[in-house]
């Protein structure tokens, strides 16, 4: 099989599976926009990384969501911000086809700690 045909077959297969998966989960995810966004993001990570490819993901830790209207330096913005627990994000990564190799809690005594997850795309 030549590379062009392989790429076309891979894209068609991915699109077919993605459409089917989206159809099955559309109702279940209707009330969870942050989960829809996370799953889409992790699916893209998996799509662009080769098998065994590393992923380093950093985020703020918490359990709340809020609308952020001012960015660093006072710049106006209108972005929903969702803080999550490392175990929850690690579960989403596993569900998306990653092996989580390690996680690090950054500044755990601060008002808004951070987390870093080290993962690798499964075959």
């Amino acid at each position: 099989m030549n590379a062009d045909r392989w790429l076309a077959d891979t894209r068609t297969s991915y699109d077919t599976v993605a459409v089917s998966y989206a159809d099955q989960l559309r109702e279940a995810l209707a009330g969870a926009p942050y989960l829809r966004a996370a799953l889409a993001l992790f699916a893209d990570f998996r799509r662009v990384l080769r098998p065994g490819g590393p992923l380093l993901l950093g985020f703020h830790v918490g359990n709340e969501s809020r609308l952020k209207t001012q960015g660093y330096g006072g710049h106006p913005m209108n972005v929903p911000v969702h803080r999550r627990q490392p175990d929850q994000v690690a579960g989403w990564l596993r569900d998306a086809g990653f092996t989580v190799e390690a996680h690090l809690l950054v500044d755990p005594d601060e008002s808004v700690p951070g987390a870093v997850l080290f993962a690798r795309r499964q075959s």
Side-chain angles (χ1 to χ4, degrees):
M1 176 181 292
N2 68 36
D4 290 337
R5 181 68 190 161
W6 174 84
L7 185 57
D9 288 347
T10 300
R11 285 181 175 157
T12 300
S13 297
Y14 175 81
D15 290 345
T16 301
V17 171
V19 168
S20 174
Y21 186 73
D23 289 344
Q24 292 175 23
L25 293 178
R26 188 167 284 113
E27 277 188 46
L29 298 176
Y34 67 88
L35 183 54
R36 286 195 318 267
L39 290 173
L41 177 65
F42 296 154
D44 276 347
F45 287 161
R46 181 169 170 74
R47 184 180 57 80
V48 299
L49 289 172
R50 72 180 190 286
L55 174 68
L56 173 66
L57 181 65
F59 55 95
H60 290 115
V61 175
N63 294 309
E64 64 277 346
S65 297
R66 67 181 181 90
L67 181 64
K68 186 169 182 164
T69 57
Q70 187 174 15
Y72 298 115
H75 299 284
M77 59 189 303
N78 189 21
V79 176
V81 175
H82 308 285
R83 295 182 181 150
R84 299 292 173 242
Q85 293 298 318
D87 289 341
Q88 183 180 34
V89 176
W92 291 340
L93 283 171
R94 287 183 191 99
D95 290 347
F98 288 86
T99 299
V100 177
E101 296 181 350
H103 70 266
L104 172 68
L105 193 57
V106 180
D107 295 326
D109 296 328
E110 293 295 320
S111 62
V112 181
V116 179
L117 298 180
F118 302 89
R120 200 165 292 278
R121 181 188 159 186
Q122 297 172 3
S123 300

